[in-house]
Amino acid sequence: MAMLLEDIVQSVEMWLKLMRKPQPYVDPDLDPVLLVPGIAGSILNAVDGQNGKEERVWVRILGADYKLRTKLWSRFDPSTGRTVSLDPSTSITVPEERYGLYAIDVLDPDMIIGRECVYYFHDMIVEMIKWGFQEGKTLFGFGYDFRQSNRLQETLDRLAAKLESVYKASGGKKINIISHSMGGLLIKCFMALHSDIFEKYVKNWIAIAAPFRGAPGYIASTFLNGMSFVDGWEQNFFISKWSMHQLLIECPSIYELMACPHFHWQHIPLLEIWREKQDPDGYPRIILESYHPGESIDIFKEALSGNSVDYDGEIVPLPFNLEILKWAKETQKVLSHAKVPSGVKFYNIYGINLETPHSVCYGSEETPVTHLQELPFFQPTYVCVDGDGTVPAESAKADGLHAEARVGVPGEHRGILCEPHVFRILKHWLKAGAPDPFYNPINDYVILPTAFEMESHQEKGLQVTSLKEEWEIVSEEQDNLDDFLVGVAVLLLHFSWGKQLAVEQHMDLGLEGDRIEAEEDTLALAPLEDMK
C-alpha cells in the first residue's frame, strides 16, 4: 500500500513538472526600464465616491460609449489646471497591478476577438521579458490620466514617486525610460521642471513617435470632428467619434498637441476651407481660404461656439476653450526650455513612410462651407507629408534636445511599438539579451562628425552641399570598419550624383540648425560619442 501511494505521489509530481511552464530567463545585470504610454494608452478606472465601486471605463468594448459619456466627459478647471469629470461623485484612477504594466499592456483585457486592436505595449513587454527583463525588478509601467495636461503637478508628482520606487526596487540602478507618442511630452515636461530628480534616477530616455512640434492635421480635425481610437470593424462596437469629440474638447493634453506656431515648418500646416462669398458686384464666388496655425484659432472658436452636450438633463456648453489654450501655451514654453541633464542620454525613434495628415481642408468647389458652424459635419480631406500616419516625421525629429541618435523606422504610429526593427534598436541601446551578430547600428544611423561646416553653392543649377570636415567613425568592433567604408562610399556617391543628403544638427537646437532635405531617403544621424 505504501509503495502504491509513493508511486502515485511520484506520478503527480512528474505530471506537475510537465504542466508547469518553464521559468523565463532573468538577467539580473539589466538596468530597469519604465514604459510610458501616450494619449489614450492607459487603462482608466472610475471610482464611485458613494459606494467605492470601481470599474474600467477606458478601454472597454461593452457599454463603451455610455461609460465614456457618464464617467469621462469633463470640464477644465483653470484654477487648478485639471479637467474634472462632469459626474461629481466619480474619480478617475489608474490601476497599479503588475508594477504599472497592467494598465498599459492590453487596454481591454476582457476582449477576446480582435484583441490586437487594444494592444498597447503588449508586444514590447513580451519581447523584453525574452531578453531577461523581469516585472517588478527591471520592468515597470507608468499609466496616467491622459485627459490631463502634460505638466499637471499631480501627474508629475506621481511620476517622481514612480522613478524613486523603480530605482529602489532595482537595487539602486538608474532607469531607462521608453516613452511613446504624447508620453514623450510628459517626460520632457518632467525633465524641464524637475531636472534634478530626472538626473538622479534616469540613465537613458528613448522617445518613440513623439509629437515634439505637434500633430497638425490630426489635432485640427480632432477639434472639429473627434477621433477614432480603433480602425476597421471594431469601430462599430466602440466609442463614437462624436462622444470622443466632446471628451477631447475639454482635455488640456489635446491642446498641447496643436501645431507649434513658432517652429520653422518646411511646409506650414494649414486649415483650408472652401467658402461661398459675394464679390463686390454681389455675385457669389467660391474661394479657398487658408489659415496658419495661429489664425486657425478664430475658426475653431466660431465653429464650436454653439457646441454643447446634454448631460443628465442639463445642457453643458463645450466651446473651443480659450482657458485651456492659455494653459497649453505655457506648457509649450516649458517644453521649449527643456534640456537633457548631464549624465543622461537621449534617443529618438520616429515613424516614416506613411502618408500623414498635415494640412486639413473642408468643403469643395462643388460643396462649399456656408457657415463655420457646419464644419463639424463636414468630412475633412488632408494634405499629407511623410510620417507615421499620425505624427509628421518633421515634428517627431524636432525634439530640440541633444540626442545620441535619431532613427527613422517605417511604421504606423501605434504599430511601431511592435516593429521587429524597433526591438533590435532597443535591444542594442539597452544592452539586453544575447548579442545579435547581424545587427550593425551603422545600418540604422550614420555618425555625425563632432564638428562640421556646410557650404552650399549653385552648380549646374543644382543645390550641392559639401562637408569641410571628413567623416569619422569609431565602430564598436574593428570588424565593422569595412561596413563603414562601404557606407561612406555610398554617401560620396549621393553627393556626386547631386542628391541632397539629410544632415541633422544633433546639438542643443535639435533640428533648428542647418540641414539639407533628402529627396528620396532620410538618414537619421547621431554624434560620434554613440559609437565610442
Side-chain angles (χ1 to χ4, degrees), residues 402-432:
H402 175 90
E404 302 299 315
R406 295 185 181 90
V407 185
V409 175
E412 185 268 335
H413 184 66
R414 190 151 55 100
I416 200 171
L417 292 178
C418 58
E419 281 291 332
H421 190 179
V422 171
F423 292 159
R424 295 186 78 184
I425 296 170
L426 293 178
K427 187 177 179 182
H428 174 72
W429 287 344
L430 298 174
K431 298 178 174 60

PDB file of all heavy atoms in Angstrom, residues 402-432:
ATOM      1  N   HIS A 402      19.748  67.640 -27.179  1.00  0.00           N
ATOM      2  CA  HIS A 402      20.978  66.957 -27.555  1.00  0.00           C
ATOM      3  C   HIS A 402      20.681  65.463 -27.601  1.00  0.00           C
ATOM      4  O   HIS A 402      20.359  64.848 -26.587  1.00  0.00           O
ATOM      5  CB  HIS A 402      22.086  67.234 -26.546  1.00  0.00           C
ATOM      6  CG  HIS A 402      23.342  66.464 -26.822  1.00  0.00           C
ATOM      7  ND1 HIS A 402      24.345  66.949 -27.622  1.00  0.00           N
ATOM      8  CD2 HIS A 402      23.740  65.240 -26.406  1.00  0.00           C
ATOM      9  CE1 HIS A 402      25.314  66.044 -27.686  1.00  0.00           C
ATOM     10  NE2 HIS A 402      24.968  65.003 -26.952  1.00  0.00           N
ATOM     11  N   ALA A 403      20.756  64.870 -28.789  1.00  0.00           N
ATOM     12  CA  ALA A 403      20.389  63.463 -28.962  1.00  0.00           C
ATOM     13  C   ALA A 403      21.601  62.625 -29.310  1.00  0.00           C
ATOM     14  O   ALA A 403      22.465  63.051 -30.085  1.00  0.00           O
ATOM     15  CB  ALA A 403      19.335  63.319 -30.055  1.00  0.00           C
ATOM     16  N   GLU A 404      21.660  61.429 -28.748  1.00  0.00           N
ATOM     17  CA  GLU A 404      22.701  60.467 -29.117  1.00  0.00           C
ATOM     18  C   GLU A 404      22.418  59.901 -30.498  1.00  0.00           C
ATOM     19  O   GLU A 404      23.345  59.591 -31.249  1.00  0.00           O
ATOM     20  CB  GLU A 404      22.747  59.327 -28.090  1.00  0.00           C
ATOM     21  CG  GLU A 404      23.000  59.777 -26.667  1.00  0.00           C
ATOM     22  CD  GLU A 404      24.329  60.482 -26.499  1.00  0.00           C
ATOM     23  OE1 GLU A 404      25.336  59.976 -27.031  1.00  0.00           O
ATOM     24  OE2 GLU A 404      24.367  61.547 -25.856  1.00  0.00           O
ATOM     25  N   ALA A 405      21.149  59.735 -30.825  1.00  0.00           N
ATOM     26  CA  ALA A 405      20.769  59.210 -32.138  1.00  0.00           C
ATOM     27  C   ALA A 405      19.323  59.534 -32.429  1.00  0.00           C
ATOM     28  O   ALA A 405      18.496  59.621 -31.517  1.00  0.00           O
ATOM     29  CB  ALA A 405      20.981  57.696 -32.191  1.00  0.00           C
ATOM     30  N   ARG A 406      19.025  59.730 -33.709  1.00  0.00           N
ATOM     31  CA  ARG A 406      17.658  59.840 -34.185  1.00  0.00           C
ATOM     32  C   ARG A 406      17.508  58.842 -35.325  1.00  0.00           C
ATOM     33  O   ARG A 406      18.280  58.873 -36.283  1.00  0.00           O
ATOM     34  CB  ARG A 406      17.340  61.252 -34.677  1.00  0.00           C
ATOM     35  CG  ARG A 406      17.371  62.303 -33.578  1.00  0.00           C
ATOM     36  CD  ARG A 406      16.919  63.664 -34.104  1.00  0.00           C
ATOM     37  NE  ARG A 406      16.986  64.661 -33.039  1.00  0.00           N
ATOM     38  CZ  ARG A 406      18.057  65.400 -32.780  1.00  0.00           C
ATOM     39  NH1 ARG A 406      19.157  65.262 -33.514  1.00  0.00           N
ATOM     40  NH2 ARG A 406      18.035  66.273 -31.787  1.00  0.00           N
ATOM     41  N   VAL A 407      16.532  57.982 -35.231  1.00  0.00           N
ATOM     42  CA  VAL A 407      16.389  56.900 -36.199  1.00  0.00           C
ATOM     43  C   VAL A 407      14.970  56.891 -36.761  1.00  0.00           C
ATOM     44  O   VAL A 407      13.999  56.844 -36.001  1.00  0.00           O
ATOM     45  CB  VAL A 407      16.685  55.527 -35.549  1.00  0.00           C
ATOM     46  CG1 VAL A 407      16.653  54.433 -36.613  1.00  0.00           C
ATOM     47  CG2 VAL A 407      18.039  55.542 -34.856  1.00  0.00           C
ATOM     48  N   GLY A 408      14.850  56.941 -38.079  1.00  0.00           N
ATOM     49  CA  GLY A 408      13.563  56.827 -38.739  1.00  0.00           C
ATOM     50  C   GLY A 408      13.262  55.383 -39.057  1.00  0.00           C
ATOM     51  O   GLY A 408      14.063  54.696 -39.700  1.00  0.00           O
ATOM     52  N   VAL A 409      12.116  54.882 -38.608  1.00  0.00           N
ATOM     53  CA  VAL A 409      11.720  53.489 -38.814  1.00  0.00           C
ATOM     54  C   VAL A 409      10.370  53.461 -39.526  1.00  0.00           C
ATOM     55  O   VAL A 409       9.422  54.098 -39.060  1.00  0.00           O
ATOM     56  CB  VAL A 409      11.613  52.738 -37.469  1.00  0.00           C
ATOM     57  CG1 VAL A 409      11.085  51.320 -37.688  1.00  0.00           C
ATOM     58  CG2 VAL A 409      12.964  52.689 -36.766  1.00  0.00           C
ATOM     59  N   PRO A 410      10.245  52.741 -40.634  1.00  0.00           N
ATOM     60  CA  PRO A 410       8.939  52.616 -41.280  1.00  0.00           C
ATOM     61  C   PRO A 410       7.939  51.970 -40.323  1.00  0.00           C
ATOM     62  O   PRO A 410       8.200  50.889 -39.790  1.00  0.00           O
ATOM     63  CB  PRO A 410       9.212  51.709 -42.485  1.00  0.00           C
ATOM     64  CG  PRO A 410      10.681  51.859 -42.748  1.00  0.00           C
ATOM     65  CD  PRO A 410      11.307  52.056 -41.405  1.00  0.00           C
ATOM     66  N   GLY A 411       6.844  52.652 -40.070  1.00  0.00           N
ATOM     67  CA  GLY A 411       5.867  52.080 -39.155  1.00  0.00           C
ATOM     68  C   GLY A 411       4.732  53.026 -38.861  1.00  0.00           C
ATOM     69  O   GLY A 411       4.852  54.242 -39.003  1.00  0.00           O
ATOM     70  N   GLU A 412       3.610  52.446 -38.423  1.00  0.00           N
ATOM     71  CA  GLU A 412       2.409  53.201 -38.062  1.00  0.00           C
ATOM     72  C   GLU A 412       2.516  53.655 -36.617  1.00  0.00           C
ATOM     73  O   GLU A 412       3.208  53.041 -35.811  1.00  0.00           O
ATOM     74  CB  GLU A 412       1.188  52.296 -38.275  1.00  0.00           C
ATOM     75  CG  GLU A 412      -0.148  52.959 -38.052  1.00  0.00           C
ATOM     76  CD  GLU A 412      -0.627  52.779 -36.621  1.00  0.00           C
ATOM     77  OE1 GLU A 412      -0.215  51.802 -35.960  1.00  0.00           O
ATOM     78  OE2 GLU A 412      -1.396  53.652 -36.155  1.00  0.00           O
ATOM     79  N   HIS A 413       1.820  54.733 -36.280  1.00  0.00           N
ATOM     80  CA  HIS A 413       2.031  55.425 -35.017  1.00  0.00           C
ATOM     81  C   HIS A 413       1.991  54.490 -33.800  1.00  0.00           C
ATOM     82  O   HIS A 413       2.911  54.495 -32.987  1.00  0.00           O
ATOM     83  CB  HIS A 413       0.987  56.525 -34.851  1.00  0.00           C
ATOM     84  CG  HIS A 413       1.182  57.366 -33.629  1.00  0.00           C
ATOM     85  ND1 HIS A 413       2.270  58.192 -33.462  1.00  0.00           N
ATOM     86  CD2 HIS A 413       0.441  57.491 -32.489  1.00  0.00           C
ATOM     87  CE1 HIS A 413       2.190  58.800 -32.294  1.00  0.00           C
ATOM     88  NE2 HIS A 413       1.098  58.393 -31.687  1.00  0.00           N
ATOM     89  N   ARG A 414       0.930  53.704 -33.655  1.00  0.00           N
ATOM     90  CA  ARG A 414       0.877  52.778 -32.528  1.00  0.00           C
ATOM     91  C   ARG A 414       1.519  51.448 -32.870  1.00  0.00           C
ATOM     92  O   ARG A 414       2.129  50.798 -32.016  1.00  0.00           O
ATOM     93  CB  ARG A 414      -0.575  52.576 -32.080  1.00  0.00           C
ATOM     94  CG  ARG A 414      -0.724  51.825 -30.771  1.00  0.00           C
ATOM     95  CD  ARG A 414      -1.991  52.252 -30.028  1.00  0.00           C
ATOM     96  NE  ARG A 414      -3.196  52.131 -30.808  1.00  0.00           N
ATOM     97  CZ  ARG A 414      -4.057  51.107 -30.710  1.00  0.00           C
ATOM     98  NH1 ARG A 414      -3.816  50.118 -29.880  1.00  0.00           N
ATOM     99  NH2 ARG A 414      -5.142  51.094 -31.433  1.00  0.00           N
ATOM    100  N   GLY A 415       1.435  51.051 -34.141  1.00  0.00           N
ATOM    101  CA  GLY A 415       2.012  49.786 -34.563  1.00  0.00           C
ATOM    102  C   GLY A 415       3.524  49.737 -34.475  1.00  0.00           C
ATOM    103  O   GLY A 415       4.119  48.653 -34.436  1.00  0.00           O
ATOM    104  N   ILE A 416       4.167  50.911 -34.417  1.00  0.00           N
ATOM    105  CA  ILE A 416       5.627  50.939 -34.349  1.00  0.00           C
ATOM    106  C   ILE A 416       6.130  50.295 -33.053  1.00  0.00           C
ATOM    107  O   ILE A 416       7.282  49.855 -32.978  1.00  0.00           O
ATOM    108  CB  ILE A 416       6.133  52.395 -34.474  1.00  0.00           C
ATOM    109  CG1 ILE A 416       7.608  52.422 -34.903  1.00  0.00           C
ATOM    110  CG2 ILE A 416       5.928  53.164 -33.181  1.00  0.00           C
ATOM    111  CD1 ILE A 416       8.100  53.810 -35.256  1.00  0.00           C
ATOM    112  N   LEU A 417       5.248  50.199 -32.050  1.00  0.00           N
ATOM    113  CA  LEU A 417       5.637  49.588 -30.782  1.00  0.00           C
ATOM    114  C   LEU A 417       5.814  48.075 -30.874  1.00  0.00           C
ATOM    115  O   LEU A 417       6.296  47.454 -29.937  1.00  0.00           O
ATOM    116  CB  LEU A 417       4.598  49.901 -29.700  1.00  0.00           C
ATOM    117  CG  LEU A 417       4.515  51.360 -29.253  1.00  0.00           C
ATOM    118  CD1 LEU A 417       3.412  51.528 -28.229  1.00  0.00           C
ATOM    119  CD2 LEU A 417       5.849  51.838 -28.688  1.00  0.00           C
ATOM    120  N   CYS A 418       5.414  47.485 -31.990  1.00  0.00           N
ATOM    121  CA  CYS A 418       5.616  46.039 -32.157  1.00  0.00           C
ATOM    122  C   CYS A 418       6.462  45.735 -33.387  1.00  0.00           C
ATOM    123  O   CYS A 418       6.464  44.603 -33.870  1.00  0.00           O
ATOM    124  CB  CYS A 418       4.279  45.307 -32.210  1.00  0.00           C
ATOM    125  SG  CYS A 418       3.165  45.836 -33.521  1.00  0.00           S
ATOM    126  N   GLU A 419       7.189  46.734 -33.889  1.00  0.00           N
ATOM    127  CA  GLU A 419       8.038  46.532 -35.052  1.00  0.00           C
ATOM    128  C   GLU A 419       9.330  45.801 -34.659  1.00  0.00           C
ATOM    129  O   GLU A 419      10.045  46.246 -33.757  1.00  0.00           O
ATOM    130  CB  GLU A 419       8.403  47.879 -35.682  1.00  0.00           C
ATOM    131  CG  GLU A 419       7.316  48.490 -36.536  1.00  0.00           C
ATOM    132  CD  GLU A 419       7.083  47.709 -37.814  1.00  0.00           C
ATOM    133  OE1 GLU A 419       8.029  47.059 -38.303  1.00  0.00           O
ATOM    134  OE2 GLU A 419       5.945  47.731 -38.302  1.00  0.00           O
ATOM    135  N   PRO A 420       9.662  44.692 -35.317  1.00  0.00           N
ATOM    136  CA  PRO A 420      10.928  43.979 -35.029  1.00  0.00           C
ATOM    137  C   PRO A 420      12.147  44.875 -35.168  1.00  0.00           C
ATOM    138  O   PRO A 420      13.123  44.724 -34.427  1.00  0.00           O
ATOM    139  CB  PRO A 420      10.930  42.837 -36.065  1.00  0.00           C
ATOM    140  CG  PRO A 420       9.484  42.613 -36.380  1.00  0.00           C
ATOM    141  CD  PRO A 420       8.843  43.966 -36.316  1.00  0.00           C
ATOM    142  N   HIS A 421      12.090  45.825 -36.118  1.00  0.00           N
ATOM    143  CA  HIS A 421      13.220  46.743 -36.301  1.00  0.00           C
ATOM    144  C   HIS A 421      13.431  47.586 -35.044  1.00  0.00           C
ATOM    145  O   HIS A 421      14.563  47.789 -34.591  1.00  0.00           O
ATOM    146  CB  HIS A 421      12.945  47.644 -37.505  1.00  0.00           C
ATOM    147  CG  HIS A 421      14.123  48.455 -37.936  1.00  0.00           C
ATOM    148  ND1 HIS A 421      14.085  49.314 -39.008  1.00  0.00           N
ATOM    149  CD2 HIS A 421      15.383  48.557 -37.449  1.00  0.00           C
ATOM    150  CE1 HIS A 421      15.264  49.897 -39.154  1.00  0.00           C
ATOM    151  NE2 HIS A 421      16.062  49.459 -38.209  1.00  0.00           N
ATOM    152  N   VAL A 422      12.324  48.061 -34.459  1.00  0.00           N
ATOM    153  CA  VAL A 422      12.423  48.842 -33.227  1.00  0.00           C
ATOM    154  C   VAL A 422      12.973  47.978 -32.092  1.00  0.00           C
ATOM    155  O   VAL A 422      13.807  48.429 -31.295  1.00  0.00           O
ATOM    156  CB  VAL A 422      11.047  49.428 -32.845  1.00  0.00           C
ATOM    157  CG1 VAL A 422      11.075  50.045 -31.457  1.00  0.00           C
ATOM    158  CG2 VAL A 422      10.619  50.474 -33.868  1.00  0.00           C
ATOM    159  N   PHE A 423      12.533  46.729 -32.038  1.00  0.00           N
ATOM    160  CA  PHE A 423      13.033  45.832 -30.994  1.00  0.00           C
ATOM    161  C   PHE A 423      14.548  45.661 -31.086  1.00  0.00           C
ATOM    162  O   PHE A 423      15.253  45.643 -30.076  1.00  0.00           O
ATOM    163  CB  PHE A 423      12.351  44.472 -31.084  1.00  0.00           C
ATOM    164  CG  PHE A 423      10.879  44.486 -30.748  1.00  0.00           C
ATOM    165  CD1 PHE A 423      10.042  43.479 -31.191  1.00  0.00           C
ATOM    166  CD2 PHE A 423      10.334  45.514 -29.993  1.00  0.00           C
ATOM    167  CE1 PHE A 423       8.689  43.481 -30.879  1.00  0.00           C
ATOM    168  CE2 PHE A 423       8.979  45.536 -29.685  1.00  0.00           C
ATOM    169  CZ  PHE A 423       8.160  44.516 -30.129  1.00  0.00           C
ATOM    170  N   ARG A 424      15.065  45.535 -32.303  1.00  0.00           N
ATOM    171  CA  ARG A 424      16.514  45.359 -32.471  1.00  0.00           C
ATOM    172  C   ARG A 424      17.274  46.607 -32.013  1.00  0.00           C
ATOM    173  O   ARG A 424      18.337  46.508 -31.388  1.00  0.00           O
ATOM    174  CB  ARG A 424      16.839  45.055 -33.932  1.00  0.00           C
ATOM    175  CG  ARG A 424      16.278  43.734 -34.425  1.00  0.00           C
ATOM    176  CD  ARG A 424      16.748  43.415 -35.821  1.00  0.00           C
ATOM    177  NE  ARG A 424      18.115  42.912 -35.808  1.00  0.00           N
ATOM    178  CZ  ARG A 424      18.809  42.616 -36.921  1.00  0.00           C
ATOM    179  NH1 ARG A 424      18.253  42.802 -38.106  1.00  0.00           N
ATOM    180  NH2 ARG A 424      20.034  42.162 -36.835  1.00  0.00           N
ATOM    181  N   ILE A 425      16.726  47.764 -32.332  1.00  0.00           N
ATOM    182  CA  ILE A 425      17.372  49.013 -31.896  1.00  0.00           C
ATOM    183  C   ILE A 425      17.362  49.110 -30.374  1.00  0.00           C
ATOM    184  O   ILE A 425      18.384  49.422 -29.747  1.00  0.00           O
ATOM    185  CB  ILE A 425      16.648  50.219 -32.523  1.00  0.00           C
ATOM    186  CG1 ILE A 425      16.781  50.198 -34.049  1.00  0.00           C
ATOM    187  CG2 ILE A 425      17.208  51.529 -31.969  1.00  0.00           C
ATOM    188  CD1 ILE A 425      15.907  51.217 -34.753  1.00  0.00           C
ATOM    189  N   LEU A 426      16.200  48.849 -29.762  1.00  0.00           N
ATOM    190  CA  LEU A 426      16.099  48.930 -28.306  1.00  0.00           C
ATOM    191  C   LEU A 426      17.032  47.929 -27.633  1.00  0.00           C
ATOM    192  O   LEU A 426      17.684  48.248 -26.623  1.00  0.00           O
ATOM    193  CB  LEU A 426      14.654  48.681 -27.864  1.00  0.00           C
ATOM    194  CG  LEU A 426      13.615  49.731 -28.269  1.00  0.00           C
ATOM    195  CD1 LEU A 426      12.229  49.305 -27.782  1.00  0.00           C
ATOM    196  CD2 LEU A 426      13.966  51.097 -27.722  1.00  0.00           C
ATOM    197  N   LYS A 427      17.070  46.748 -28.160  1.00  0.00           N
ATOM    198  CA  LYS A 427      17.929  45.708 -27.587  1.00  0.00           C
ATOM    199  C   LYS A 427      19.378  46.157 -27.590  1.00  0.00           C
ATOM    200  O   LYS A 427      20.125  45.938 -26.631  1.00  0.00           O
ATOM    201  CB  LYS A 427      17.759  44.417 -28.392  1.00  0.00           C
ATOM    202  CG  LYS A 427      18.471  43.214 -27.806  1.00  0.00           C
ATOM    203  CD  LYS A 427      18.175  41.971 -28.648  1.00  0.00           C
ATOM    204  CE  LYS A 427      18.898  40.751 -28.100  1.00  0.00           C
ATOM    205  NZ  LYS A 427      18.652  39.557 -28.946  1.00  0.00           N
ATOM    206  N   HIS A 428      19.787  46.825 -28.652  1.00  0.00           N
ATOM    207  CA  HIS A 428      21.156  47.329 -28.759  1.00  0.00           C
ATOM    208  C   HIS A 428      21.405  48.455 -27.767  1.00  0.00           C
ATOM    209  O   HIS A 428      22.416  48.459 -27.055  1.00  0.00           O
ATOM    210  CB  HIS A 428      21.410  47.800 -30.188  1.00  0.00           C
ATOM    211  CG  HIS A 428      22.738  48.462 -30.390  1.00  0.00           C
ATOM    212  ND1 HIS A 428      23.926  47.768 -30.395  1.00  0.00           N
ATOM    213  CD2 HIS A 428      23.067  49.760 -30.568  1.00  0.00           C
ATOM    214  CE1 HIS A 428      24.937  48.605 -30.580  1.00  0.00           C
ATOM    215  NE2 HIS A 428      24.426  49.824 -30.692  1.00  0.00           N
ATOM    216  N   TRP A 429      20.478  49.417 -27.695  1.00  0.00           N
ATOM    217  CA  TRP A 429      20.664  50.559 -26.804  1.00  0.00           C
ATOM    218  C   TRP A 429      20.597  50.158 -25.331  1.00  0.00           C
ATOM    219  O   TRP A 429      21.283  50.732 -24.499  1.00  0.00           O
ATOM    220  CB  TRP A 429      19.612  51.627 -27.094  1.00  0.00           C
ATOM    221  CG  TRP A 429      19.860  52.366 -28.373  1.00  0.00           C
ATOM    222  CD1 TRP A 429      21.017  52.391 -29.096  1.00  0.00           C
ATOM    223  CD2 TRP A 429      18.934  53.194 -29.088  1.00  0.00           C
ATOM    224  NE1 TRP A 429      20.869  53.170 -30.221  1.00  0.00           N
ATOM    225  CE2 TRP A 429      19.603  53.683 -30.240  1.00  0.00           C
ATOM    226  CE3 TRP A 429      17.610  53.558 -28.872  1.00  0.00           C
ATOM    227  CZ2 TRP A 429      18.985  54.519 -31.158  1.00  0.00           C
ATOM    228  CZ3 TRP A 429      16.993  54.389 -29.790  1.00  0.00           C
ATOM    229  CH2 TRP A 429      17.676  54.875 -30.922  1.00  0.00           C
ATOM    230  N   LEU A 430      19.752  49.168 -25.027  1.00  0.00           N
ATOM    231  CA  LEU A 430      19.598  48.724 -23.641  1.00  0.00           C
ATOM    232  C   LEU A 430      20.649  47.691 -23.236  1.00  0.00           C
ATOM    233  O   LEU A 430      20.708  47.305 -22.070  1.00  0.00           O
ATOM    234  CB  LEU A 430      18.197  48.138 -23.427  1.00  0.00           C
ATOM    235  CG  LEU A 430      17.015  49.083 -23.637  1.00  0.00           C
ATOM    236  CD1 LEU A 430      15.701  48.320 -23.546  1.00  0.00           C
ATOM    237  CD2 LEU A 430      17.035  50.223 -22.634  1.00  0.00           C
ATOM    238  N   LYS A 431      21.439  47.242 -24.235  1.00  0.00           N
ATOM    239  CA  LYS A 431      22.450  46.201 -23.979  1.00  0.00           C
ATOM    240  C   LYS A 431      21.797  44.995 -23.327  1.00  0.00           C
ATOM    241  O   LYS A 431      22.248  44.473 -22.289  1.00  0.00           O
ATOM    242  CB  LYS A 431      23.590  46.748 -23.111  1.00  0.00           C
ATOM    243  CG  LYS A 431      24.358  47.902 -23.748  1.00  0.00           C
ATOM    244  CD  LYS A 431      25.451  48.435 -22.835  1.00  0.00           C
ATOM    245  CE  LYS A 431      26.305  49.481 -23.542  1.00  0.00           C
ATOM    246  NZ  LYS A 431      25.533  50.645 -23.999  1.00  0.00           N
ATOM    247  N   ALA A 432      20.718  44.519 -23.946  1.00  0.00           N
ATOM    248  CA  ALA A 432      19.919  43.442 -23.379  1.00  0.00           C
ATOM    249  C   ALA A 432      19.969  42.202 -24.266  1.00  0.00           C
ATOM    250  O   ALA A 432      20.209  42.288 -25.476  1.00  0.00           O
ATOM    251  CB  ALA A 432      18.473  43.890 -23.214  1.00  0.00           C
TER     252      ALA A 432
END
